[in-house]
């Protein structure tokens, strides 16, 4: 959503109101509440310091960035050295150990991106998908192996630098070949020593249940993106703040704990205003 001055002020007011609520309960899993920054990409592009103030006011303590070399709205961050960015975050009480990258940049500029992440202080380098975002339906099992082989090769380099390569599940990852989930094929082919997984909770709408996958692949997951939604009379879904929709967050976080999740990020792309009200709910959630 385009961020106008009016929208920015509304977002700031919502964030301040959320942060002012009493936070008397422990956060789920005892981890800082995180924010994926893609939903506020317009703010980041227009005014990064202002975006950090918004994140801080909302009560988020950690963020996940996107590559300043491959994500268009994050290109302005490329003007800063990694340690400068980390210092700007620290000035607002925010940490960042994870970012999303595009697979091709990791394959073509892997050493440089690993060096950047290392200097920044990141320990997780994530790709949103392997393969096309919009599958044609003509992809094969051989394609799956080709994509996972390439990512495994990058993951070896990242692991040697003390960084974990992470696969998110969007696009082709959530497709099926001959009725079989590509996601499970990829998990089977990715090296568990070097590669971890990040679960997109909204993929539950496509039949990928978070609790099922956390239990099925214990020890393979390190992170998750949190969305919530309601289903209207027309059958269409609409995102809502966490705790206001259909997701059983108590069960999700309980399974995430068993699976080994190390961090999680609120990500509500339909409307960034939904993100600050999610914070007090997470503070109140006992798992």
């Amino acid at each position: 959503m385009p961020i106008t001055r009016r929208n920015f002020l509304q977002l700031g007011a919502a964030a301040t109101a959320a942060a002012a609520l009493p936070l008397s309960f422990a956060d789920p899993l005892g981890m800082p509440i995180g924010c994926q920054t893609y939903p506020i990409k317009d703010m980041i592009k227009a005014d990064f310091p202002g975006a950090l103030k918004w994140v801080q006011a909302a009560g988020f303590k950690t963020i996940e960035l996107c590559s300043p070399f491959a994500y268009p709205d994050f290109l302005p961050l490329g003007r800063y050295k990694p340690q400068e960015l980390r210092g700007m975050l620290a000035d607002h009480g925010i940490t960042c150990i994870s970012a999303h990258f595009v697979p091709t940049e990791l394959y073509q500029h892997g050493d440089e991106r690993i060096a950047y992440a290392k200097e920044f202080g990141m320990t997780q380098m994530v790709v949103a998908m392997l393969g096309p975002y919009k599958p044609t339906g003509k992809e094969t099992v051989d394609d799956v192996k080709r994509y996972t082989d390439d990512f495994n090769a990058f993951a070896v380099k990242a692991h040697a630098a003390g960084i974990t390569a992470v696969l998110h599940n969007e696009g082709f990852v959530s497709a099926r070949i001959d009725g079989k989930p590509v996601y499970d094929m990829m998990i089977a082919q990715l090296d568990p020593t070097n590669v971890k997984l990040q679960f997109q909770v909204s993929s539950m709408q496509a039949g990928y249940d978070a609790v099922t996958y956390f239990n099925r692949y214990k020890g393979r997951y390190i992170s998750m993106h949190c969305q919530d939604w309601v289903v209207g009379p027309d059958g269409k879904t609409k995102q809502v703040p966490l705790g206001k929709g259909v997701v059983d967050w108590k069960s999700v976080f309980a399974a995430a704990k068993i699976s080994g999740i190390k961090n999680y990020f609120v990500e509500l792309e339909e409307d960034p205003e939904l993100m600050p009200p999610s914070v007090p709910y997470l503070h109140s959630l006992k798992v």
Side-chain angles (χ1 to χ4, degrees):
M1 131 177 143
I3 300 295
T4 63
R5 175 176 172 77
R6 179 172 176 271
N7 286 333
F8 186 85
L9 292 174
Q10 289 175 338
L11 288 166
T16 301
L21 292 173
L23 307 178
S24 57
F25 298 101
D27 304 335
L29 308 187
M31 299 173 189
I33 297 173
C35 162
Q36 221 299 335
T37 52
Y38 190 78
I40 59 169
K41 59 184 182 299
D42 291 334
M43 272 196 277
I44 287 174
K45 184 178 180 179
D47 179 12
F48 183 59
L52 292 181
K53 290 180 181 178
W54 182 90
V55 170
Q56 181 184 35
F60 293 111
K61 298 300 183 182
T62 188
I63 63 172
E64 183 177 63
L65 286 169
C66 296
S67 170
F69 309 103
Y71 280 74
D73 295 296
F74 289 79
L75 295 180
L77 301 188
R79 72 171 70 110
Y80 303 107
K81 295 182 183 297
Q83 291 185 359
E84 286 183 273
L85 276 176
R86 187 173 62 185
M88 294 170 72
L89 296 177
D91 288 343
H92 292 83
I94 301 167
T95 63
C96 175
I97 62 168
S98 181
H100 271 229
F101 295 83
V102 174
T104 51
E105 69 171 317
L106 299 184
Y107 304 154
Q108 297 170 9
H109 306 283
D111 292 339
E112 296 97 317
R113 298 299 182 266
I114 290 171
Y116 177 90
K118 188 79 173 177
E119 185 178 349
F120 195 112
M122 294 178 186
T123 57
Q124 298 171 21
M125 297 178 73
V126 191
V127 292
M129 58 196 169
L130 294 177
Y133 181 70
K134 295 183 178 180
T136 63
K138 298 180 180 179
E139 291 80 12
T140 67
V141 172
D142 288 339
D143 290 325
V144 175
K145 188 176 188 306
R146 177 163 52 87
Y147 296 139
T148 54
D149 283 350
D150 288 343
F151 196 58
N152 275 331
F154 166 76
V156 171
K157 290 184 177 182
H159 183 76
I163 294 174
T164 301
V166 183
L167 174 64
H168 185 80
N169 56 317
E170 291 194 66
F172 180 52
V173 177
S174 294
R176 284 173 168 79
I177 295 177
D178 296 330
K180 298 178 180 178
V182 168
Y183 192 32
D184 293 77
M185 296 180 195
M186 288 189 172
I187 293 173
Q189 295 175 18
L190 291 169
D191 182 357
T193 301
N194 301 323
V195 179
K196 295 292 184 181
L197 306 170
Q198 180 181 73
F199 196 87
Q200 173 87 344
V201 173
S202 63
S203 67
M204 292 170 66
Q205 298 171 30
Y208 294 88
D209 181 68
V211 174
T212 298
Y213 273 83
F214 288 154
N215 285 317
R216 181 181 298 169
Y217 298 106
K218 291 187 175 89
R220 300 295 299 272
Y221 285 93
I222 197 171
S223 181
M224 66 176 170
H225 281 188
C226 300
Q227 298 87 16
D228 210 340
W229 61 91
V230 293
V231 181
D234 57 359
K236 294 182 179 180
T237 61
K238 178 182 179 181
Q239 288 187 345
V240 294
L242 269 58
K244 299 293 185 181
V246 301
V247 178
D248 180 355
W249 288 108
K250 190 175 182 67
S251 295
V252 169
F253 273 100
K257 181 178 181 179
I258 294 172
S259 187
I261 291 289
K262 302 300 182 187
N263 48 21
Y264 62 93
F265 305 98
V266 177
E267 183 189 43
L268 296 165
E269 294 182 35
E270 290 180 7
D271 184 354
E273 289 185 62
L274 303 175
M275 296 173 70
S278 300
V279 173
Y281 170 74
L282 288 169
H283 278 300
S284 71
L285 184 62
K286 294 182 179 180
V287 179

